[in-house]
Amino acid sequence: MVVGAGMATHALLQRLRRNGALERLDVTVIGEEPRPCYDRVNLTSCFGGVPPDDLLLSPVEWYRENGVRLRTGVRATGIDRSRRAVSTDPHGEIRYDHLVLATGSRPFVPPIDGVDLPGVFVYRTIDDIEAIRQHAGICRTAAVLGGGLLGLEAGKALYNLSLQAHVVEVAPGLMPRQLNAEAADLLREEVESLGVSVHLLRRASRLEQDGAKVVVHFARHDPLSVDMVVISAGIRPRDELARDAGLEVGERGGVAVSGALQTSDPRVWAVGECASVDNELFGLVGPCYEMAEALADNLAAMTQGNPMSARFHSGASASRLKLMGVDVSTLGKPIGEAAAASVLVRRGDGYCRTLMVERGRVVGAIGVGDWPERERLSGLIAANRRVSQRQLRRFQRTGAVWSASEGASVMEWPAAATVCSCLGVTRGDLTDALQAGAGTPEQLAESTGASTVCGSCRNLLCALCDQPEVAVGAKGRGALLGASVFAALVTPVLMAYRPSRFADTVQSAWRRVDFLWQDDVAKQVTGYTLLAISLLALLLSLRKRLTRFRLGDFNLWRGVHGVLGAGTLVGFVVHTGMSLGHNFTFALGSAFLLLNLLGAATGVAASMESRLTGRWGRSLRAWRPRLTRAHIWLFWPLPALVLFHIISVYYY
């Protein structure tokens, strides 16, 4: 059973449908509002005449077709955990086996006199929007109490209704929880340029009726007289059901849940704005969707008797908002949680950009105005990658972290440019798949195979789908890069080295070392050991080429393959004494070293391609398959040469 019919609930149901669990579950959804789940993010479109039904995330028929029992206009009044029952008004009790609380949040109304006067509204639901829109028809002026995200949305909506709008904020800047002073100052300038008045450092002390007017009184400033007031001073999690039922709540409110979204009662779960994860609350839709998907995967696992392994991690978040027609971006840590970070600010014509840097890594970013690098920065923060001092100096100079050649979007790549070098998928192949209906990175991966092997091109797929970058796994890539660099440095030395004997007399202690390359048994042991290591490295390379071989992480196996390849150079030294020999032996040794040299170049390219985009990224993705093919082609003579070598040794 799910209490709450908001966006998190809809995301939960959609995920349950995709993973097949919805067919195995008997799901009941109840919601207080008279309509199913709808898009709260685009509530302001109703001011422009968009019918409320156009905001529905799925029609009523969808719930019926998927076996979901939907009850709208029903309010949950209590939870009896011992009897596993939810009391509702007006339908009485509803029993449950597992209960999901998705009750969302409610508007915060300041505890001041006059908030219940005529002409005073809150801004949260479709019904609120309808009431505001109807009353605005007889008004000329309006004030919004609150200069945060919702307050600015409300101010823009009132402005679009041709009202003279005032935004009142108690803090010294707009969006004080998200923006630093410089960004907030630019946002204020942009908002005021539209004709919306901004009043900062104003705390309303009471509201008073004056005929048809509502007068907003402040503690230390002159009052403001308007025709209507919209209160949008933030939200608070709706956790009253959980509190009354004795469930644990967070320090700042909200239903306390684990990373698996489970409350202190193992049969009760919570997602969305009402959930508190590690005492952190989330008011943006992105994290709420991530919670819903993690919970759906856990419920699916539970129905099949499998362990619940999905977890919601409250790490770096990213949001991009359009407020009063101005782009506002917040990435990673809020500025208040990055006290130890160095703050770099670049303000230019129509934009203000801020980076928060800790130990050479960008941990947070704030932008007001257009920011073309936003998605790349989001991926950089999520992957916890380092930035160079040169990039930071470029940001302070130009406002850009990457140069123009590094920042070319994958959409601008030629159609023949390789995106997935593992399977040879081009940008044109992916564009064809997009036009055929693949609209997400997952669908692109399913239809073309791109990103299904090493995953290094995953963020290029995200860019094609206009979705935020994700953290790309890096298991084994450091080992691959280190082993490849080692092989690239050592192999030319072995190719150019002229062997010499360590011992100059038969009495020399170094003769024991020379003995290793003179004794037949020792040479057989080192030779077959070298052959075994080479065969093991070859077997690990099949992880990519055999579709049924899917054990373990590909990048981890590729890293082990690189380490073993570098290890064969050590085996080569032990077996040959760094002498290439003559005839077949010379051909075998030369082919072996060239194979390692090409393998080293391929390894460096493979470990670096996920870190490079633009011109360098395109070049690397184009060359890596060629290096791989050359590496494979050079391998084929080796079995015949090894066989001739073994036969010649034993025959003669």
Side-chain angles (χ1 to χ4, degrees):
M1 177 181 177
V2 183
V3 177
M7 297 178 72
T9 294
H10 188 264
L12 174 68
L13 296 175
Q14 290 283 2
R15 184 74 166 199
L16 287 172
R17 180 176 177 270
R18 288 197 300 272
N19 63 28
L22 200 55
E23 298 176 358
R24 300 188 295 271
L25 293 169
D26 180 13
V27 179
T28 299
V29 174
I30 66 171
E32 285 185 350
E33 295 189 59
R35 52 184 59 85
C37 311
Y38 61 87
D39 182 4
R40 293 186 188 273
V41 174
N42 290 302
L43 266 181
T44 53
S45 63
C46 290
F47 283 117
V50 173
D53 285 352
D54 285 3
L55 294 183
L56 297 183
L57 296 172
S58 289
V60 174
E61 293 75 23
W62 182 90
Y63 299 87
R64 185 168 56 251
E65 291 168 359
N66 287 278
V68 176
R69 191 178 297 106
L70 176 66
R71 297 182 177 178
T72 57
V74 176
R75 185 171 66 92
T77 58
I79 302 171
D80 187 335
R81 290 164 51 202
S82 62
R83 297 178 54 247
R84 297 206 299 272
V86 175
S87 301
T88 69
D89 181 15
H91 290 293
E93 280 191 349
I94 301 176
R95 304 296 293 269
Y96 66 85
D97 293 316
H98 289 271
L99 174 65
V100 177
L101 297 176
T103 48
S105 58
R106 64 180 182 279
F108 170 69
V109 178
I112 59 176
D113 292 337
V115 293
D116 55 350
L117 290 173
V120 179
F121 303 88
V122 293
Y123 178 88
R124 185 62 181 164
T125 68
I126 286 179
D127 290 342
D128 294 334
I129 300 298
E130 289 295 309
I132 292 170
R133 190 165 67 89
Q134 290 178 14
H135 190 78
I138 58 172
C139 298
R140 296 180 60 188
T141 59
V144 178
L145 302 188
L149 168 60
L150 293 177
L152 291 175
E153 285 187 353
K156 180 62 163 57
L158 295 172
Y159 170 79
N160 288 342
L161 291 174
S162 301
L163 300 183
Q164 181 185 344
H166 301 261
V167 173
V168 179
E169 170 56 47
V170 67
L174 296 174
M175 295 186 67
R177 294 185 60 186
Q178 291 87 11
L179 302 184
N180 59 333
E182 293 87 350
D185 187 53
L186 176 60
L187 180 59
R188 177 188 57 78
E189 291 178 7
E190 295 290 338
V191 169
E192 289 186 330
S193 70
L194 296 174
V196 177
S197 300
V198 177
H199 308 268
L200 302 175
L201 295 171
R202 300 287 199 277
R203 183 184 297 276
S205 58
R206 73 180 191 278
L207 305 180
E208 188 176 75
Q209 193 84 46
D210 182 14
K213 297 281 188 178
V214 178
V215 181
V216 184
H217 291 272
F218 303 105
R220 296 184 181 88
H221 298 87
D222 293 335
L224 177 64
S225 179
V226 291
D227 296 320
M228 67 183 298
V229 172
V230 176
I231 298 175
S232 186
I235 57 175
R236 298 293 184 269
R238 294 196 58 181
D239 56 13
E240 58 272 16
L241 281 174
R243 289 179 184 272
D244 293 344
L247 295 172
E248 291 183 13
V249 295
E251 293 177 1
R252 297 166 51 202
V255 188
V257 295
S258 65
L261 288 312
Q262 201 166 33
T263 70
S264 52
D265 183 332
R267 289 184 173 272
V268 182
W269 317 72
V271 292
E273 293 175 333
C274 72
S276 171
V277 185
D278 296 329
N279 288 312
E280 188 173 0
L281 298 167
F282 300 87
L284 295 174
V285 69
C288 294
Y289 277 179
E290 292 172 18
M291 286 187 212
E293 292 182 355
L295 174 55
D297 289 345
N298 284 332
L299 293 176
M302 181 184 65
T303 62
Q304 296 177 314
N306 297 325
M308 296 178 292
S309 58
R311 292 292 182 272
F312 169 75
H313 300 286
S314 57
S317 60
S319 65
R320 182 180 184 180
L321 311 167
K322 197 81 168 179
L323 301 174
M324 298 282 190
V326 182
D327 274 326
V328 177
S329 302
T330 59
L331 312 173
K333 289 183 179 180
I335 193 165
E337 297 179 13
S342 300
V343 179
L344 306 179
V345 180
R346 171 69 185 182
R347 183 161 180 176
D349 185 17
Y351 71 82
C352 181
R353 300 167 187 168
T354 303
L355 297 183
M356 290 162 277
V357 184
E358 289 181 0
R359 300 183 183 90
R361 292 177 170 85
V362 178
V363 297
I366 300 167
V368 174
D370 186 41
W371 200 349
E373 295 181 335
R374 178 193 174 279
E375 302 301 337
R376 290 192 69 187
L377 275 171
S378 178
L380 184 78
I381 294 169
N384 197 31
R385 291 197 213 120
R386 287 186 174 275
V387 289
S388 68
Q389 289 299 316
R390 178 169 55 87
Q391 288 176 304
L392 295 179
R393 287 194 296 270
R394 181 188 294 124
F395 173 80
Q396 290 178 294
R397 199 172 59 250
T398 67
V401 177
W402 292 275
S403 65
S405 62
E406 293 175 308
S409 167
V410 65
M411 294 295 293
E412 302 170 17
W413 290 13
T418 301
V419 174
C420 177
S421 54
C422 291
L423 299 180
V425 181
T426 66
R427 199 274 297 161
D429 297 331
L430 292 166
T431 301
D432 291 342
L434 282 169
Q435 292 174 349
T440 66
E442 292 78 12
Q443 291 169 343
L444 280 179
E446 183 179 353
S447 60
T448 66
S451 82
T452 59
V453 181
C454 76
S456 66
C457 60
R458 185 68 171 187
N459 282 326
L460 296 177
L461 270 61
C462 291
L464 284 168
C465 296
D466 195 25
Q467 291 192 8
E469 292 188 3
V470 296
V472 177
K475 287 183 179 179
R477 288 184 184 169
L480 176 63
L481 180 60
S484 300
V485 170
F486 169 81
L489 295 174
V490 170
T491 303
V493 174
L494 296 180
M495 296 175 74
Y497 184 77
R498 294 292 178 266
S500 62
R501 297 299 179 190
F502 287 94
D504 51 4
T505 68
V506 294
Q507 288 84 17
S508 173
W510 286 105
R511 193 168 184 276
R512 295 178 182 177
V513 179
D514 287 340
F515 176 79
L516 183 65
W517 300 304
Q518 295 172 357
D519 181 75
D520 289 340
V521 174
K523 287 183 72 65
Q524 289 179 47
V525 170
T526 57
Y528 283 116
T529 301
L530 176 58
L531 182 61
I533 296 173
S534 301
L535 289 174
L536 180 57
L538 173 64
L539 286 173
L540 289 178
S541 71
L542 298 178
R543 170 66 174 80
K544 169 182 174 181
R545 292 168 180 85
L546 295 181
T547 55
R548 294 185 180 180
F549 184 19
R550 287 291 177 262
L551 178 65
D553 184 87
F554 171 81
N555 289 308
L556 180 61
W557 289 128
R558 186 166 63 178
V560 174
H561 173 81
V563 171
L564 288 175
T568 61
L569 293 174
V570 179
F572 179 83
V573 172
V574 174
H575 180 62
T576 67
M578 294 178 286
S579 172
L580 292 179
H582 305 282
N583 302 326
F584 277 123
T585 305
F586 179 81
L588 174 60
S590 299
F592 181 83
L593 291 176
L594 285 172
L595 179 70
N596 271 274
L597 192 60
L598 278 170
T602 306
V604 170
S607 58
M608 292 299 296
E609 66 180 348
S610 65
R611 305 179 186 182
L612 297 176
T613 58
R615 176 165 51 88
W616 291 108
R618 292 199 303 275
S619 298
L620 202 58
R621 290 178 185 279
W623 272 100
R624 208 256 286 182
R626 300 170 191 171
L627 291 170
T628 302
R629 285 195 294 270
H631 183 52
I632 295 171
W633 289 339
L634 197 57
F635 168 81
W636 289 111
L638 279 182
L641 291 171
V642 169
L643 181 62
F644 278 121
H645 177 66
I646 294 173
I647 291 174
S648 65
V649 168
Y650 283 100
Y651 183 77
Y652 294 106

